[in-house]
Amino acid sequence: MAEVKPEDMVHHMPMDQLQGFEYCINSNPSWGEGIALGFQHYILSLGTAVMIPTMLVPLMGGNDHDKAKVVQTLLFVTGIKTLLQTLFGTRLPTIMGGSYAYVVPVLSIIRDPSIAQIADGHTRFLQTMRAVQGSLIVSSSIQIILGYSQLWAICSRFFSPLGMVPVIALVGLGLFERGFPVVGKCVEIGLPMLILFVALSQYLKHVNVRHVPVLERFSMLMCIALVWVYAHILTASGAYKHTALVTQINCRTDLANLISSSQWISIPYPLQWGAPTFSADHAFGMMAAVVVSLIETTGAFKAAARLASATPPPAYVLSRGIGWQGIGTLLDGLFGTGTGSTVSVENVGLLGSTRVGSRRVIQISAGFMIFFSMLGKFGALFSSIPFTIFAAIYCVMFGIVAAVGLSFMQFTNMNSMRNLFIIGVSLFLGLSIPEYFSRYSTSSRQGPAHTKAGWFNDYINTIFSSPPTVALFVAVLLDNTLDVKDAARDRGMPWWARFRTFRGDSRNEEFYTLPFNLNRFFPPS
């Protein structure tokens, strides 16, 4: 075997920003291209916006009309929250959508004996929604206080690049159950979608039309349109007429009942379900979901910054974003979306897939959400896309976000046994502990914590069901207690230091300064 020459050994230096992005956070494509990219982000956000109400509303006692109205409300509020976050929060190109972290405390409210005994389904739905609204309004104060008081900025000073590797990685990897396991429920639709999307977006990405890489930028829209038509042909031809109910739910295009249940024009408004009801038990249980979504959002913010070709958000900016996330959760409670707020991980992944990290594109997407949520029938048309198609896209998008988390290892010493131990243990426990909680809940129909104190059960079952949250606790604890005296360089702290304050790097002002000269009234710390 020929000896390798020293000049052939390529050493890749750590880089603050990802390369190869034609449009970064503060550069904008043409209006035509931006509108098409914004619509693509809107379509991708429909998966979670439809799935969460589809899962929860029937359990609340709601009918198809209630489900359609909750979907519209969730999309409407998502658009508002996204505009607020991109204008006044972190200013990162992130969509603030619904969160699965709130499912456990919402299910606890649904099972509350005082609500579950109501015989009439619609009345039970209204009472449940009002209870969820009240608990969201109260618990949102956690994020608002941690954010605007800068307490979360103080906490984030204990985060090193090493500690963030498993957290950001598990923001993507922790969602693996919504990937191929869902694709497998309708392989004839999901697998072609996955293969076609990878082929167009990666292998044929250099195909240009008027110097625009259309397949790389818009392959998701093209693939969804093609596979959606294919799925409709299978449905119309009777291919699923005699199949199992699970197969029909995941494959058919006519079972959502969103189009027939939606109104032509409907504008969501605060307290549309009635006056919220408040319960200490419900509020304390919901606070666990708020903490989980806060941690997941922190990891997603850092991933989005990297995929927008920006510098890591300083602690001050990160805390500001968490404060606005709290405002978003408050809006969720006022409007009644049935869930709280978090960064849409799939849309963060789409930034990397299209290599367009423009803030304007996300703001255009927020405009689509608000517009189509008011035009019920048109919005419901797009919302009827089978979730299996979204699951195939998630296989790529979640993977991209996970890889971004792993990319932070370049700023650390991965020849250190200490670092290998911390990353390995936190990654493993971050996947293993939530999997235990998930299997236990599935088999026993209750979480491992099932004491007489319902709020305590919700706390434990919610927090330890979140891979990024478990990873953060394990990684930050080990990183700040294990041989920490002489490990600053190995942890990547010298590189991290200049990004911890707003004035630490001149690029921070370019990326994160508030619009309309608002920094004059709210000077960064």
Side-chain angles (χ1 to χ4, degrees):
M1 183 176 179
E3 183 178 354
V4 179
K5 299 177 182 179
E7 58 268 24
D8 295 333
M9 297 181 184
V10 179
H11 179 62
H12 299 283
M13 296 295 294
M15 304 187 75
D16 299 336
Q17 298 167 265
L18 285 177
Q19 303 299 298
F21 278 68
E22 186 172 346
Y23 302 105
C24 65
I25 183 173
N26 54 357
S27 61
N28 303 311
S30 65
W31 279 105
E33 190 175 350
I35 290 172
L37 287 165
F39 183 72
Q40 188 167 238
H41 274 278
Y42 159 71
I43 291 293
L44 183 58
S45 68
L46 290 175
T48 298
V50 174
M51 192 61 188
I52 292 178
T54 299
M55 181 193 311
L56 295 178
V57 170
L59 298 176
M60 293 179 177
N63 53 30
D64 288 338
H65 174 73
D66 296 324
K67 180 176 71 174
K69 193 171 181 180
V70 173
V71 171
Q72 286 178 262
T73 303
L74 181 53
L75 280 171
F76 183 81
V77 177
T78 295
I80 295 174
K81 294 185 297 185
T82 300
L83 286 177
L84 291 174
Q85 189 65 245
T86 54
L87 285 171
F88 308 115
T90 60
R91 307 214 70 213
L92 289 166
T94 51
I95 286 176
M96 302 301 296
S99 171
Y100 286 94
Y102 292 83
V103 169
V104 171
V106 170
L107 288 176
S108 179
I109 294 173
I110 292 172
R111 294 168 184 152
D112 189 304
S114 63
I115 296 176
Q117 66 183 3
I118 299 175
D120 182 67
H122 184 66
T123 304
R124 187 168 77 252
F125 166 75
L126 291 177
Q127 292 298 326
T128 306
M129 182 61 78
R130 291 168 187 171
V132 172
Q133 287 181 260
S135 59
L136 284 172
I137 290 171
V138 173
S139 59
S140 66
S141 61
I142 298 292
Q143 292 173 335
I144 294 173
I145 293 171
L146 285 175
Y148 292 124
S149 68
Q150 291 296 305
L151 284 173
W152 191 242
I154 296 172
C155 294
S156 68
R157 296 183 187 279
F158 294 96
F159 304 161
S160 70
L162 180 73
M164 284 293 99
V165 168
V167 178
I168 302 172
L170 290 185
V171 166
L173 291 178
L175 298 169
F176 68 91
E177 287 188 349
R178 296 185 194 106
F180 205 84
V182 179
V183 172
K185 293 179 180 178
C186 188
V187 179
E188 60 269 33
I189 290 176
L191 196 58
M193 178 67 200
L194 176 59
I195 294 172
L196 187 62
F197 179 58
V198 171
L200 294 187
S201 65
Q202 301 301 316
Y203 289 95
L204 300 177
K205 64 183 178 182
H206 299 296
V207 175
N208 291 347
V209 176
R210 295 184 179 180
H211 307 292
V212 176
V214 290
L215 293 184
E216 181 180 52
R217 299 272 168 84
F218 307 110
S219 57
M220 196 200 83
L221 275 180
M222 298 177 186
C223 293
I224 287 180
L226 290 172
V227 178
W228 191 14
V229 169
Y230 165 62
H232 188 69
I233 291 173
L234 289 178
T235 301
S237 65
Y240 303 113
K241 191 173 182 180
H242 302 292
T243 57
L245 180 60
V246 174
T247 302
Q248 294 193 42
I249 291 173
N250 287 278
C251 297
R252 295 183 70 99
T253 59
D254 58 355
L255 287 186
N257 294 328
L258 290 174
I259 300 175
S260 59
S261 303
S262 300
Q263 297 176 334
W264 281 104
I265 298 177
S266 175
I267 301 177
Y269 56 91
L271 308 184
Q272 60 186 341
W273 309 111
T277 57
F278 299 92
S279 164
D281 276 356
H282 296 164
F284 278 118
M286 194 67 76
M287 286 179 186
V290 167
V291 172
V292 167
S293 68
L294 181 153
I295 292 171
E296 293 175 349
T297 294
T298 298
F301 277 151
K302 292 183 180 293
R306 196 143 176 78
L307 289 171
S309 200
T311 53
Y316 165 79
V317 173
L318 196 62
S319 199
R320 188 175 73 194
I322 294 302
W324 278 105
Q325 183 188 6
I327 297 294
T329 302
L330 177 62
L331 291 175
D332 285 318
L334 290 173
F335 279 83
T337 63
T339 183
S341 176
T342 193
V343 171
S344 173
V345 179
E346 55 267 34
N347 289 92
V348 172
L350 187 57
L351 300 177
S353 178
T354 59
R355 293 195 298 151
V356 176
S358 171
R359 182 189 298 125
R360 178 186 288 175
V361 167
I362 298 301
Q363 292 169 340
I364 292 172
S365 176
F368 277 117
M369 293 175 196
I370 296 172
F371 179 73
F372 281 116
S373 63
M374 292 188 293
L375 297 179
K377 295 287 186 184
F378 291 102
L381 173 65
F382 300 119
S383 300
S384 63
I385 300 171
F387 189 71
T388 307
I389 292 178
F390 291 110
I393 301 171
Y394 293 167
C395 292
V396 176
M397 301 309 173
F398 293 160
I400 290 174
V401 174
V404 170
L406 297 177
S407 76
F408 277 84
M409 288 194 290
Q410 67 183 301
F411 308 113
T412 67
N413 177 14
M414 291 315 296
N415 291 313
S416 163
M417 194 59 221
R418 171 193 181 274
N419 289 1
L420 292 174
F421 173 82
I422 291 173
I423 289 180
V425 171
S426 54
L427 278 174
F428 184 83
L429 290 180
L431 287 171
S432 187
I433 291 176
E435 180 66 13
Y436 162 73
F437 272 72
S438 175
R439 292 189 181 187
Y440 192 103
S441 300
T442 301
S443 61
S444 303
R445 295 189 178 181
Q446 60 182 355
H450 46 272
T451 66
K452 293 182 179 179
W455 65 269
F456 175 78
N457 299 339
D458 291 343
Y459 247 98
I460 299 299
N461 295 331
T462 301
I463 286 176
F464 288 99
S465 294
S466 166
T469 304
V470 174
L472 180 97
F473 289 156
V474 175
V476 172
L477 176 65
L478 292 175
D479 191 35
N480 286 278
T481 58
L482 184 60
D483 298 332
V484 72
K485 185 177 179 180
D486 303 315
R489 184 173 296 276
D490 287 349
R491 299 167 66 203
M493 295 308 289
W495 171 81
W496 194 260
R498 66 183 185 276
F499 302 119
R500 296 173 75 177
T501 60
F502 193 84
R503 305 295 184 191
D505 190 285
S506 59
R507 293 169 293 179
N508 290 340
E509 188 170 354
E510 175 188 358
F511 298 139
Y512 301 114
T513 298
L514 291 172
F516 316 123
N517 207 20
L518 288 174
N519 274 60
R520 181 177 58 182
F521 304 103
F522 306 99
S525 57

